Amino acid sequence: MSLAHPELPIKAVAFDLDGLIFNTEEIFSSAAKQMVVERRGLLMPPDLFKNMMGRRAPESIGVMKSMLNLSESVEALIDEAWSLFFGLLDSRLSPMPGLFELLSHLEQCEIPKAVATSSPRSYLERVMNRFELLPRFEFALTAEDVVHGKPNPEIYLKAAQKLGVEPREMLVLEDSETGSRAAAAAGAFIVSVPHEFSRDQDFSVAKRVARGLNDALIFELLGPQSPMRRVS
């Protein structure tokens, strides 16, 4: 992992969604456990969730189907997963610590920001609208906007193009290995922000690894006017 600063000033920021803006990876983990352990009586492979994380739903559930040798179709498993997930969402959805502080700082600095997620647009709108977050971003790219999902760099190349910056001028914040690899392949300045469910993944492609969205290192990358606050 390089500790270098960006070659050029950061002119825009792209956020992943699940596990980065919201605690949804925790909710997905609970839904997966219900599907695998409680409903089917199977053991949860230790690397199952790691291999699923950061991918579009058909690819993610395809990993589950393959690793567990499930007989159901990917489409049926997706329907089951979404049903379980949304059953847990209302009582458990919350923004990740430091999100609103970072958004406010970017707005004060007039640094444009976007969301680039492997999730479908209908889902993004459902979770973002609960906290009136969509108007705070210039745009959102979702699973429907790309041909190739993460770890392919397509979504971050498109994000940079729409933001009007070179990829190396764009800070990408990602919580997963898959997403970090996509950002790195696009040539963006990638800062990985692991959480409980991804901290054991390989973030060697990242320029920095932050302890949260309120980690001072993120603010330092955005300019000298940034508040020097550090998570404990």
Side-chain angles (χ1 to χ4, degrees):
M1 178 185 66
S2 170
L3 296 180
H5 282 271
E7 295 179 7
L8 301 173
I10 295 297
K11 295 182 178 179
V13 179
F15 289 71
D16 179 43
L17 177 65
D18 293 300
L20 193 284
I21 292 179
F22 293 112
N23 67 331
T24 41
E25 295 295 7
E26 171 191 338
I27 304 173
F28 279 124
S29 177
S30 295
K33 182 178 179 182
Q34 287 187 32
M35 288 181 68
V36 175
V37 180
E38 297 176 14
R39 291 192 170 189
R40 291 171 174 82
L42 301 173
L43 293 175
M44 181 78 77
D47 57 347
L48 174 62
F49 200 53
K50 169 188 174 181
N51 291 331
M52 295 175 65
M53 193 180 299
R55 302 179 186 273
R56 294 181 294 184
E59 296 153 354
S60 178
I61 295 299
V63 169
M64 174 185 282
K65 176 179 170 65
S66 176
M67 290 186 69
L68 297 173
N69 196 27
L70 300 178
S71 60
E72 297 93 330
S73 67
V74 169
E75 292 76 14
L77 291 169
I78 289 174
D79 289 343
E80 181 182 355
W82 281 123
S83 176
L84 290 169
F85 174 81
F86 285 119
L88 298 169
L89 189 69
D90 287 338
S91 62
R92 295 176 60 172
L93 181 68
S94 63
M96 295 297 279
L99 174 67
F100 294 114
E101 178 184 9
L102 179 55
L103 293 181
S104 294
H105 179 72
L106 290 170
E107 288 157 5
Q108 291 168 9
C109 296
E110 298 184 344
I111 297 176
K113 51 194 180 301
V115 178
T117 176
S118 297
S119 294
R121 184 164 297 277
S122 60
Y123 161 78
L124 171 137
E125 292 175 351
R126 182 167 177 174
V127 295
M128 295 284 279
N129 285 337
R130 287 173 182 247
F131 295 89
E132 300 181 351
L133 281 172
L134 273 179
R136 301 186 72 170
F137 291 86
E138 271 61 35
F139 59 86
L141 295 176
T142 65
E144 295 90 338
D145 296 310
V146 294
V147 175
H148 306 290
K150 301 174 186 178
N152 187 283
E154 180 183 358
I155 196 165
Y156 284 119
L157 291 171
K158 284 193 172 184
Q161 182 180 37
K162 285 178 67 70
L163 287 163
V165 300
E166 295 294 324
R168 60 183 175 156
E169 299 173 317
M170 181 176 71
L171 170 63
V172 171
L173 299 171
E174 269 280 1
D175 69 298
S176 72
E177 176 183 338
T178 297
S180 297
R181 287 168 54 200
F189 194 92
I190 170 65
V191 173
S192 299
V193 191
H195 46 72
E196 177 186 357
F197 299 94
S198 64
R199 64 169 57 106
D200 294 330
Q201 295 182 13
D202 180 3
F203 293 106
S204 59
V205 298
K207 298 293 187 181
R208 302 284 188 89
V209 176
R211 291 180 287 173
L213 293 177
N214 53 354
D215 194 322
L217 73 82
I218 296 175
F219 291 88
E220 289 165 3
L221 291 168
L222 297 172
Q225 71 273 34
S226 301
M228 299 296 289
R229 296 183 59 185
R230 171 79 60 183
V231 294
S232 59

